[in-house]
Amino acid sequence: MEMLYNSTRSKGISIKASQAILRGLSEDGGLFVPDHIPELDRSLEELAQMDYRQTAFEVMKLFLTDFTEEELRSCIDSAYDGKFDTDKIAPLKEAGGAYYLELFHGPTIAFKDMALSILPHLMITAARKNHVKNEIVILTATSGDTGKAALAGFAGVEGTRIIVFYPKDGVSAIQEKQMVTQKGENTLVVGIQGNFDDAQSGVKRIFADKELAKEMEEKGFRFSSANSINIGRLVPQICYYVYAYGTLLREGKIAAGEAVNVVVPTGNFGNILAAYYAKNMGLPIGKLICASNENKVLYDFFRTGAYDRNREFVLTSSPSMDILISSNLERLIFRIAGNDADQNRALMEALSGQGKYQVTADMQAALGDFYGNYATEQEAAAEICRLYRDYDYVIDTHTAVASAVYRKYTQETQDTAKAVIASTASPYKFTRSVMNAVGKGDKDKDDFALVDELAGLSGVKVPQAVEEIRTAPVLHKKQCEAAQMKDVVREFLGL
């Protein structure tokens, strides 16, 4: 059955998967969503015998129906290769009664590699399929990890350019060094004076600028996105939940059909939305546990049905979650509104205008699959310390938020179902915060000195992604105000 993609904000927009990937964002400002959620057409027992690449094909073929089998397998094989430091791609580590799904074994040591390793291949294939001659300009806002993963994926890719905007004072030292040392003549990295929401809103405004789009068309360019607003980012994320379930089944940790809870540290809502889609495809997932840091806009939403970004923005040690506008939540809102584009658009306009909206009682009742909670900075640090002290397992700050929230969930509900916790980044990305949490921090030492100490403490070799930036020269020094982002884009493209 062919899968078509509709906009969350307008009726009558219906396009193929390859076209949705190329556009990134609908011209009406909406996000593309599948016109139905397909059912898994392989048994759980069959999936349990598959490696990551095979699992990815079985999931993605159901969503990307205008890609041939040969095209899709080629994209998957090109993405999930030797750039990952384990053949398992996404291994599970048991610690403290939960299973940590390690999604950070790719080239930039964050879960964004799981989707951004394949997106360039999907996009170039889609461009070929749709006879696109224009150069594709990837425009992306990042809260820390998407930027480097997108840069690594698109650097040097013929027919593309990539521009990444990040909050200058809102990422870790390692995250920033990863981005500003990026090689590639087709890359540009810009630090903005503002937070991630400022960067994300600026990117959306540029996408919606019809005059700029016309000028770019005349000059032989077209925009697309590498953010999780692009369906080509979201679909690959579904795969690792299916693979995790298959791994647990294969290893005898669960019985076929046994429900497993999924815990996700959440910022822009794409990762947990992928788990929600997996559940709706028939994967036996019980509760979807949405973990927030002190920017707890999603916790408040699941508790009250009111989404309100009018609050203080908190800079935390888990910067990829320092977000007050969770863009992918719109896809869930559209679904619980009965796929009503008009109702969803009204809510998104309220968010844009007044900074808040309230869903109906019926819509709130449809959120029963989710549980939301948050962890403070102190609670997250204590969780890092606990897992290191009791289980000799070191996690990063984002995973710590999820792990702390999971403990709150089990204490509150007494739910004893097995749980998969999405471990979204290597602790080496947030070395100072991790070392401080385990009582080994030293403010007089630089981050790379702490990296070496973390290696000795954890017994885990320093990732190549960190080693290669120790002495790498800074190649991107540009900064701007959020209001100047469009001018920066025009300058880079020579418009």
Side-chain angles (χ1 to χ4, degrees):
M1 183 176 179
E2 184 178 36
M3 177 74 75
L4 295 175
Y5 288 82
N6 306 321
S7 170
T8 54
R9 298 194 189 182
S10 298
K11 297 171 183 174
I13 296 178
S14 188
I15 61 177
K16 294 181 179 181
S18 62
Q19 296 168 325
I21 289 170
L22 281 172
R23 293 188 193 180
L25 194 67
S26 178
E27 61 190 15
D28 59 9
L31 278 60
F32 288 115
V33 289
D35 63 0
H36 66 282
I37 302 296
E39 290 186 14
L40 290 166
D41 61 2
R42 295 280 193 170
S43 70
L44 296 173
E45 290 85 355
E46 286 177 307
L47 290 167
Q49 301 309 312
M50 296 181 185
D51 66 15
Y52 193 87
R53 298 165 193 82
Q54 293 167 325
T55 304
F57 174 76
E58 294 300 329
V59 173
M60 294 174 68
K61 73 177 186 183
L62 302 174
F63 286 92
L64 309 181
T65 55
D66 65 327
F67 285 71
T68 67
E69 178 175 346
E70 182 183 9
E71 287 170 338
L72 190 51
R73 287 194 186 278
S74 175
C75 290
I76 290 168
D77 290 345
S78 298
Y80 304 115
D81 59 5
K83 70 173 72 73
F84 286 79
D85 65 18
T86 168
D87 287 340
K88 293 181 179 179
I89 307 298
L92 280 168
K93 171 77 173 183
E94 186 175 2
Y99 296 92
Y100 292 80
L101 179 61
E102 294 186 344
L103 300 170
F104 53 76
H105 288 274
T108 75
I109 57 175
F111 85 95
K112 307 298 174 79
D113 290 325
M114 302 298 294
L116 282 164
S117 289
I118 194 169
L119 182 60
H121 301 287
L122 294 174
M123 197 166 283
I124 294 304
T125 303
R128 246 188 340 258
K129 293 174 76 69
N130 289 276
H131 311 291
V132 171
K133 304 299 183 188
N134 287 357
E135 192 169 356
I136 298 169
V137 180
I138 304 299
L139 192 61
T140 291
T142 184
S143 52
D145 288 335
T146 286
K148 175 57 182 179
L151 288 161
F154 282 94
V157 174
E158 190 174 347
T160 70
R161 297 194 198 187
I162 178 165
I163 308 169
V164 170
F165 292 98
Y166 74 96
K168 183 69 184 73
D169 299 315
V171 299
S172 78
I174 298 289
Q175 284 178 312
E176 183 173 41
K177 190 76 183 289
Q178 281 189 301
M179 287 189 283
V180 298
T181 57
Q182 177 65 52
K183 298 176 183 177
E185 291 185 4
N186 67 330
T187 67
L188 178 66
V189 180
V190 185
I192 73 157
Q193 304 303 321
N195 58 42
F196 170 73
D197 288 330
D198 297 324
Q200 182 168 250
S201 296
V203 164
K204 287 184 175 181
R205 280 194 298 273
I206 293 170
F207 267 110
D209 191 323
K210 289 183 168 52
E211 286 187 15
L212 180 59
K214 182 180 178 182
E215 187 177 1
M216 287 183 60
E217 175 72 26
E218 292 170 352
K219 299 288 188 180
F221 297 110
R222 64 176 293 162
F223 280 133
S224 191
S225 173
N227 280 85
S228 53
I229 57 175
N230 192 317
I231 200 71
R233 267 281 305 276
L234 187 59
V235 169
Q237 291 179 264
I238 301 169
C239 304
Y240 46 73
Y241 295 111
V242 179
Y243 178 72
Y245 191 94
T247 299
L248 290 174
L249 182 55
R250 181 174 64 254
E251 295 180 353
K253 308 290 188 185
I254 57 173
E258 181 179 345
V260 171
N261 293 329
V262 170
V263 192
V264 186
T266 309
N268 222 15
F269 207 75
N271 211 356
I272 196 166
L273 182 69
Y276 174 76
Y277 278 12
K279 176 171 182 169
N280 282 272
M281 293 177 76
L283 194 69
I285 292 176
K287 210 62 152 179
L288 295 158
I289 300 168
C290 179
S292 299
N293 64 14
E294 291 181 6
N295 291 288
K296 54 189 181 69
V297 64
L298 287 166
Y299 162 69
D300 291 336
F301 170 71
F302 283 116
R303 191 167 53 89
T304 67
Y307 193 97
D308 188 350
R309 65 174 173 84
N310 299 308
R311 62 185 70 205
E312 180 186 1
F313 185 93
V314 184
L315 288 174
T316 73
S317 61
S318 47
S320 296
M321 301 162 68
D322 290 348
I323 294 173
L324 295 181
I325 304 174
S326 300
S327 285
N328 271 291
L329 184 63
E330 179 172 346
R331 287 185 164 113
L332 178 62
I333 297 299
F334 176 77
R335 186 169 173 83
I336 64 173
N339 298 337
D340 186 331
D342 292 335
Q343 186 176 3
N344 176 74
R345 185 178 65 253
L347 292 172
M348 295 307 117
E349 287 174 350
L351 179 63
S352 178
Q354 292 84 50
K356 59 185 178 181
Y357 60 79
Q358 172 79 50
V359 300
T360 66
D362 287 345
M363 291 170 70
Q364 190 173 359
L367 296 172
D369 288 335
F370 293 88
Y371 165 91
N373 213 320
Y374 73 100
T376 64
E377 286 286 270
Q378 293 75 19
E379 288 169 334
E383 190 68 0
I384 293 172
C385 185
R386 182 185 75 88
L387 282 168
Y388 168 64
R389 181 191 66 228
D390 296 348
Y391 303 98
D392 199 28
Y393 185 53
V394 181
I395 58 174
D396 89 294
T397 49
H398 302 74
T399 308
V401 169
S403 191
V405 165
Y406 173 61
R407 279 162 55 79
K408 289 184 179 184
Y409 170 78
T410 56
Q411 290 164 6
E412 183 181 319
T413 65
Q414 304 302 306
D415 184 352
T416 59
K418 294 181 177 68
V420 170
I421 298 176
S423 184
T424 54
S426 164
Y428 282 102
K429 266 207 154 170
F430 306 94
T431 310
R432 187 170 297 278
S433 295
V434 170
M435 293 298 282
N436 286 341
V438 299
K440 307 285 186 179
D442 186 336
K443 67 179 185 300
D444 294 326
K445 293 183 178 179
D446 70 20
D447 284 74
F448 289 100
L450 292 176
V451 158
D452 294 327
E453 293 190 8
L454 178 57
L457 179 142
S458 66
V460 176
K461 182 182 176 183
V462 178
Q464 182 60 31
V466 175
E467 289 289 6
E468 67 189 15
I469 64 171
R470 279 184 191 266
T471 57
V474 173
L475 302 176
H476 301 273
K477 301 178 182 179
K478 197 166 193 65
Q479 298 180 34
C480 75
E481 300 289 339
Q484 299 171 311
M485 290 169 61
K486 177 180 171 181
D487 296 333
V488 169
V489 171
R490 290 176 55 85
E491 179 186 353
F492 182 58
L493 300 179
L495 299 180

